[in-house]
Structure formats: C-alpha cells, structure tokens
Amino acid sequence: MLDRTVVKEFLDCEFEDMELEIPKNISKEDLVEAFCQFVEDDYYEWLKDNFKSFFNHGNPDWEWIREKVKVLAPEHK
C-alpha cells in the first residue's frame, strides 16, 4: 500500500535530521519494509476503528452520513 520509495526518502530525511544511523547489521531495504509493515498494520486498525465510529457500530445514522456526503461531495466532483 505505501510507496516504498517515498518511505525510504522520508526515513532518510528523518534519520538525517535526528542524526541517526542505521546499524550495520540492518539493511536499509529491510528497515524500510519493516517500517512500512508497521505503519500499514497500524493504519488498518485505525481504519477499522473509524469505520465502527462512522457507521455507529452497525447502527448507522444515515441522516448524519447524508449530511457528511453533502458537505464533502462537491470537492470530489
């Protein structure tokens, strides 16, 4: 899901800003992949939690949702 090239560049910048170095026994590619997996796992859990909230744990308030759609829809047309 995440663009590994973008994540690699992000990590490079953050490591430089914090003056951190990757240990010699960890490849940059492995670190990027591990970080991406960590973020994707967390992101999936975040989506599930927000889905439950947005749809009121299986009892959606369609009027509230309809209002959200009305407000946001013009931006996406």
Side-chain angles (χ1 to χ4, degrees):
M1 179 182 349
L2 292 174
D3 183 326
R4 271 43 180 177
T5 302
V6 171
V7 171
K8 179 188 171 295
E9 291 171 4
F10 170 79
L11 290 177
D12 286 345
C13 288
E14 291 298 312
F15 269 62
E16 185 177 321
D17 289 348
M18 296 180 77
E19 298 180 1
L20 293 175
E21 291 185 24
I22 301 170
K24 293 186 188 303
N25 62 346
I26 299 175
S27 75
K28 187 178 286 187
E29 292 77 21
D30 288 346
L31 181 62
V32 168
E33 187 58 33
F35 183 75
C36 285
Q37 290 295 319
F38 174 81
V39 170
E40 289 170 351
D41 290 347
D42 189 53
Y43 181 67
Y44 182 69
E45 290 302 316
W46 176 80
L47 281 174
K48 288 189 328 186
D49 289 343
N50 278 282
F51 178 87
K52 291 173 189 173
S53 295
F54 190 85
F55 292 103
N56 196 27
H57 300 272
N59 187 23
D61 178 348
W62 291 112
E63 285 303 315
W64 180 83
I65 292 170
R66 191 172 285 110
E67 289 302 314
K68 292 290 185 191
V69 170
K70 280 183 191 177
V71 170
L72 298 174
E75 296 175 7
H76 301 289
K77 289 184 180 180

